[in-house]
Amino acid sequence: MASMDVPAGGKPAAAEKTRARTVDAPRLTWLTLALMTTASVASLRAAPTMAVYGLACVFLYLLPAVVFLLPTALVSAELASGWNGGVYRWVSEGLSKPLGFLAVWCQFAMTIFYYPSLLAFVASTISYVIDPSLASNGVYTAIVIMVLYWTGVWVSSRGTKALAGLSSWGLVIGTLVPGTILVVLGMVFLAQGNPSAAPMTASHLLPQWTGLASLVLIVNNFLSYSGMEMNAVHVSSLKDPAKEYPKSMFLAMGLVLLIFILPALAISWVVPADQTSLTAGVMQAFHAFFSYFHIGWMTPIAAVMLISASLAGMLTWLAGPSKGLLEISRSEGYLPPFLQRLNRHGVQQNILVTQGVVTTAIALMYALIPGVSNVYWIFSTITTQVYLIVYLLMFVAAVRLRRNQPDHPRGYRVPALTLVCTVGWLASAAALVIGFVPPSQFGGNSVGAYVAIVGGGLVLLGLIIPGAFLKFRKPSWRTEGGDAS
């Protein structure tokens, strides 16, 4: 998952202080920043989603990388090098405080659907240790989601600081090692003369056009690529940001594409598209390869690696987005006092518990809606839709800030900013619209039900709830000094 900013509602720093921070900041090499960015973005979880397209997944990963990943990385670098405080500060300065709240709210709200989809992946992976047939069992998936999420809430509410370093280990244990094993086994499998389950000829480089539904899976890649704005805060730590940051981002983009594309291809070589589970596809491929090479005993080991990385990621970031929302709300009064209350460990437990109630309700839908893969896709789409609102606001804010505050100190300036922001904004808007089209894997299920669930989730989470907080907030809701404009 994308790592979240921790916004702060402070006033703009003086130019001298900005320059001082830039000078005094500990230096990073462009290579180190590229690896940090790769660690925060890359994951194996999305591989099965693209594996169903076979060789065409290369195109479906490259397109959003060019029109979304790169604009996001460059624009967030300029904003982070000029204004601290994350996306709330950027949008508040460029547009307005209410829209800044909307942006940071959407960063938080997307996790409401993100964690169920993440834990559905964990549930399907655990099933390969217990009984692979459980991977398609909705009741089992719902139970695992609820147990793991509430366990995570309990751990996070204890204020455990030891979790901070888990994300870096997650990249190695749950992404690089199993991803490399998967790709190497796949190459050996093909080298021994075995046919690929998906055609690997040049005529299959582009996805077959059967209407909008044939391209819908590309929407999920926008969420896979999100999170570039987190590492943009380190741009001022580079020796020569104008030259080194673009170089760092191009290398990170190449590494991320390799981590996304090669495992997806490996899955397509051994698991037919019509049999690929969007939640258990990675383990399907491992199981098939390990069985072929007569090392089936490694299947549980691979499962444990994937599980540990996913749980580490969940625990590391469970309290992050809600903490950012809490800090803004305490200074600006966006949330009622009940949701601002802290427990004795200084953790926003009431927000986590409220989120947990909603997550539990969502988990039950896995038990009620037929087809775990369908539910997984719907929730992944809603997650993407809500998060895209953040980027739509960010691109507009960047253009406004360049126009209204051209002399504000920036450690990095995007060449042709308006063009880059326009490309990123149009790509985000197109992804948001396409997300309402059911994928071809949705089968003969009701299109109306799909649109209603996705649209309802987007409107409720992305508009109605934050609008209600803004409409009904009171001056008494501010618990720290702030300008409630």
Side-chain angles (χ1 to χ4, degrees), residues 418-433:
T418 301
L419 175 61
V420 172
C421 286
T422 300
V423 171
W425 193 93
L426 291 176
S428 300
L432 194 147
V433 172

Side-chain angles (χ1 to χ4, degrees), residues 296-385:
W297 56 269
M298 286 190 64
T299 300
I301 297 176
V304 170
M305 295 173 73
L306 294 172
I307 292 166
S308 63
S310 296
L311 293 180
M314 184 195 77
L315 291 173
T316 302
W317 295 109
L318 184 61
S322 57
K323 182 178 180 180
L325 181 65
L326 173 77
E327 291 180 358
I328 296 304
S329 299
R330 290 174 71 87
S331 63
E332 302 291 343
Y334 289 126
L335 296 181
F338 171 78
L339 293 177
Q340 296 184 36
R341 212 164 291 156
L342 305 177
N343 66 9
R344 62 190 179 90
H345 298 287
V347 176
Q348 57 283 7
Q349 183 170 298
N350 286 4
I351 293 180
L352 293 178
V353 171
T354 302
Q355 183 181 3
V357 172
V358 179
T359 300
T360 299
I362 293 172
L364 292 175
M365 295 182 72
Y366 278 89
L368 300 176
I369 300 178
V372 171
S373 284
N374 287 343
V375 184
Y376 176 86
W377 175 255
I378 288 173
F379 289 148
S380 294
T381 300
I382 293 174
T383 300
T384 306
Q385 303 284 67

Side-chain angles (χ1 to χ4, degrees), residues 11 79 124 138 159 203 220 232 236 271 282 287 328 353 417 423 427 438 457 459:
K11 298 182 182 298
L79 294 173
S124 65
S203 60
N220 201 49
S236 60
V271 184
V282 176
H287 180 69
I328 296 304
V353 171
L417 176 72
V423 171
V459 172

Side-chain angles (χ1 to χ4, degrees), residues 184-481:
V184 170
L185 290 180
M187 290 180 173
V188 174
F189 177 79
L190 294 181
Q192 292 184 349
N194 294 290
S196 169
M200 289 289 128
T201 59
S203 60
H204 291 86
L205 275 171
L206 295 178
Q208 184 178 2
W209 179 254
T210 57
L212 282 177
S214 64
L215 287 177
V216 163
L217 288 181
I218 197 173
V219 173
N220 201 49
N221 289 346
F222 281 71
L223 181 63
S224 299
Y225 286 142
S226 62
M228 299 298 287
E229 70 275 9
M230 179 201 70
N231 285 304
V233 301
H234 300 297
V235 67
S236 60
S237 298
L238 296 172
K239 184 177 180 180
D240 186 357
K243 292 182 179 179
E244 293 183 341
Y245 188 80
K247 188 162 58 172
S248 175
M249 287 304 100
F250 278 115
L251 175 59
M253 189 168 74
L255 292 174
V256 168
L257 285 172
L258 287 176
I259 293 174
F260 279 145
I261 291 173
L262 294 181
L265 286 175
I267 293 173
S268 73
W269 295 337
V270 72
V271 184
D274 59 353
Q275 298 176 23
T276 301
S277 165
L278 299 188
T279 56
V282 176
M283 287 309 303
Q284 284 179 314
F286 272 124
H287 180 69
F289 284 137
F290 290 155
S291 297
Y292 174 80
F293 289 107
H294 306 292
I295 49 175
W297 56 269
M298 286 190 64
T299 300
I301 297 176
V304 170
M305 295 173 73
L306 294 172
I307 292 166
S308 63
S310 296
L311 293 180
M314 184 195 77
L315 291 173
T316 302
W317 295 109
L318 184 61
S322 57
K323 182 178 180 180
L325 181 65
L326 173 77
E327 291 180 358
I328 296 304
S329 299
R330 290 174 71 87
S331 63
E332 302 291 343
Y334 289 126
L335 296 181
F338 171 78
L339 293 177
Q340 296 184 36
R341 212 164 291 156
L342 305 177
N343 66 9
R344 62 190 179 90
H345 298 287
V347 176
Q348 57 283 7
Q349 183 170 298
N350 286 4
I351 293 180
L352 293 178
V353 171
T354 302
Q355 183 181 3
V357 172
V358 179
T359 300
T360 299
I362 293 172
L364 292 175
M365 295 182 72
Y366 278 89
L368 300 176
I369 300 178
V372 171
S373 284
N374 287 343
V375 184
Y376 176 86
W377 175 255
I378 288 173
F379 289 148
S380 294
T381 300
I382 293 174
T383 300
T384 306
Q385 303 284 67
V386 173
Y387 206 27
L388 283 171
I389 295 175
V390 177
Y391 292 106
L392 291 172
L393 293 171
M394 186 186 79
F395 287 126
V396 176
V399 174
R400 289 284 302 276
L401 285 170
R402 178 73 75 88
R403 183 181 305 156
N404 298 338
Q405 302 183 36
D407 298 325
H408 186 92
R410 296 163 169 84
Y412 171 75
R413 286 177 178 266
V414 180
L417 176 72
T418 301
L419 175 61
V420 172
C421 286
T422 300
V423 171
W425 193 93
L426 291 176
S428 300
L432 194 147
V433 172
I434 293 174
F436 287 101
V437 181
S440 54
Q441 285 71 23
F442 199 67
N445 294 278
S446 170
V447 174
Y450 180 89
V451 173
I453 294 173
V454 172
L458 174 62
V459 172
L460 179 65
L461 275 181
L463 297 175
I464 294 178
I465 295 178
F469 282 132
L470 288 171
K471 180 177 176 59
F472 296 108
R473 69 173 176 149
K474 303 174 182 179
S476 60
W477 287 7
R478 283 191 294 157
T479 55
E480 290 180 358

Side-chain angles (χ1 to χ4, degrees), residues 95-171:
L95 299 174
S96 68
K97 282 191 174 183
L99 289 178
F101 169 70
L102 176 62
V104 77
W105 166 264
C106 287
Q107 278 195 326
F108 163 74
M110 60 84 71
T111 65
I112 295 174
F113 286 96
Y114 173 78
Y115 288 122
S117 62
L118 170 68
L119 294 176
F121 169 78
V122 173
S124 65
T125 306
I126 292 175
S127 71
Y128 275 81
V129 180
I130 306 171
D131 179 4
S133 65
L134 290 173
S136 58
N137 187 306
V139 175
Y140 158 79
T141 302
I143 291 173
V144 172
I145 290 173
M146 288 187 285
V147 171
L148 291 181
Y149 181 84
W150 283 107
T151 301
V153 168
W154 180 80
V155 172
S156 296
S157 68
R158 310 292 294 177
T160 307
K161 296 181 180 179
L163 299 175
L166 288 177
S167 60
S168 58
W169 282 104
L171 173 70

